[in-house]
């Protein structure tokens, strides 16, 4: 379904974060490790899918990690689409932190943890620089929009990837980023592209 204001077509991209995992609940750093959704995450995905299906998306692309492909499945079934997989939608790589709980990271990597807490975009210990994360996700958003002019695409991704991908796409300044709340499990960001305005955020951190 294309959205129109006046005579202009509006292209819509919904960035949908995956459902809850046991590692989310335990505050364990997932990064690019492949952790499945849990029962709560599956229920979240079912509820969100019922809402997102109203958008009549023409394209679905998901991170290739299982917590995203599992989240995408209920919506794909409802609207009759086969999601494509794109590794560019993966979460930020958290280097040496992956698999550790937040207290473990703080204890083992105090310097990079302190830099990360201070919003350093490249804190070290193998964490992917935010510029690289934003570039790969924003490129995927732009390319998805180009494929459905006047229509809707749903991209299933991860909390950090969504936040910093949107920031890169819209050119938000670095000092603004700590003031933007993270996207919760199975919530989404609604982006619209209108010829006379360019990209804009229509809604942020929306849930079922």
């Amino acid at each position: 379904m294309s959205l129109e204001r006046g005579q202009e077509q509006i292209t819509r991209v919904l960035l949908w974060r995956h459902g809850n995992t046991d590692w989310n609940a335990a505050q364990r750093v997932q990064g690019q490790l492949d952790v499945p959704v849990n029962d709560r995450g599956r229920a979240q995905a079912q509820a969100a899918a019922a809402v997102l299906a109203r958008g009549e998306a023409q394209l679905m692309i998901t991170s290739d990690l299982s917590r995203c492909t599992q989240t995408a499945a209920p919506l794909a079934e409802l609207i009759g689409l086969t999601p494509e997989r794109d590794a560019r939608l993966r979460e930020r790589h958290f280097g040496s932190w992956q698999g550790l709980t937040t207290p473990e990271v703080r204890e083992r990597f105090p310097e990079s943890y302190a830099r990360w807490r201070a919003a350093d975009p490249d804190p070290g210990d193998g964490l992917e620089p935010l510029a690289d994360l934003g570039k790969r996700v924003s490129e995927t958003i732009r390319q998805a929009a180009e494929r459905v002019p006047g229509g809707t695409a749903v991209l299933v991704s991860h909390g950090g990837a969504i936040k910093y991908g949107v920031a890169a796409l819209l050119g938000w300044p670095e000092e603004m980023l700590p003031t933007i709340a993270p996207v919760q499990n199975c919530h989404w960001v609604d982006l619209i592209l209108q010829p006379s305005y360019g990209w804009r955020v229509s809604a942020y951190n929306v849930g079922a």
Side-chain angles (χ1 to χ4, degrees):
M1 177 180 68
S2 81
L3 302 175
E4 296 186 1
R5 293 181 185 170
Q7 298 301 311
E8 286 190 314
Q9 281 191 326
I10 294 178
T11 303
R12 187 180 186 196
V13 178
L14 297 169
L15 297 164
W16 184 22
R17 187 186 176 194
H18 63 80
N20 190 260
T21 72
D22 288 342
W23 282 27
N24 288 144
Q27 295 188 330
R28 190 173 294 277
V29 180
Q30 296 177 121
Q32 294 190 5
L33 298 180
D34 200 4
V35 182
V37 295
N38 55 24
D39 288 343
R40 180 183 176 192
R42 282 186 282 274
Q44 289 172 331
Q46 289 283 356
V51 176
L52 292 170
R54 301 170 193 161
E56 301 180 7
Q58 294 82 44
L59 175 66
M60 286 187 69
I61 307 174
T62 174
S63 158
D64 60 344
L65 299 180
S66 63
R67 55 192 183 272
C68 286
T69 61
Q70 291 166 348
T71 297
L75 177 59
E77 183 175 358
L78 282 175
I79 63 178
L81 287 178
T82 300
E84 301 175 11
R85 299 187 183 191
D86 194 326
R88 293 178 299 173
L89 290 174
R90 284 187 177 191
E91 182 59 288
R92 182 184 193 179
H93 198 293
F94 275 85
S96 300
W97 297 11
Q98 294 191 161
L100 302 178
T101 64
T102 301
E104 289 170 338
V105 170
R106 188 168 55 242
E107 178 182 351
R108 298 185 196 183
F109 303 99
E111 183 177 340
S112 59
Y113 180 79
R115 292 173 62 181
W116 174 76
R117 289 281 296 174
D120 187 329
D122 189 6
D125 283 323
L127 274 73
E128 181 179 10
L130 289 182
D132 295 346
L133 172 64
K135 182 175 185 294
R136 62 176 167 85
V137 177
S138 61
E139 284 178 349
T140 314
I141 296 169
R142 288 191 188 93
Q143 290 170 8
E146 289 170 358
R147 293 174 59 185
V148 289
T152 300
V154 176
L155 276 53
V156 189
S157 189
H158 308 258
I162 292 172
K163 174 178 175 177
Y164 294 107
V166 170
L169 179 77
L170 301 180
W172 290 346
E174 186 177 298
E175 59 271 18
M176 177 182 173
L177 302 186
T179 71
I180 307 298
V183 177
Q184 300 175 50
N185 284 120
C186 247
H187 285 51
W188 58 89
V189 177
D190 187 346
L191 296 176
I192 57 174
L193 175 61
Q194 187 176 356
S196 59
Y197 287 97
W199 284 101
R200 291 185 292 172
V201 175
S202 178
Y204 186 90
N205 208 11
V206 182

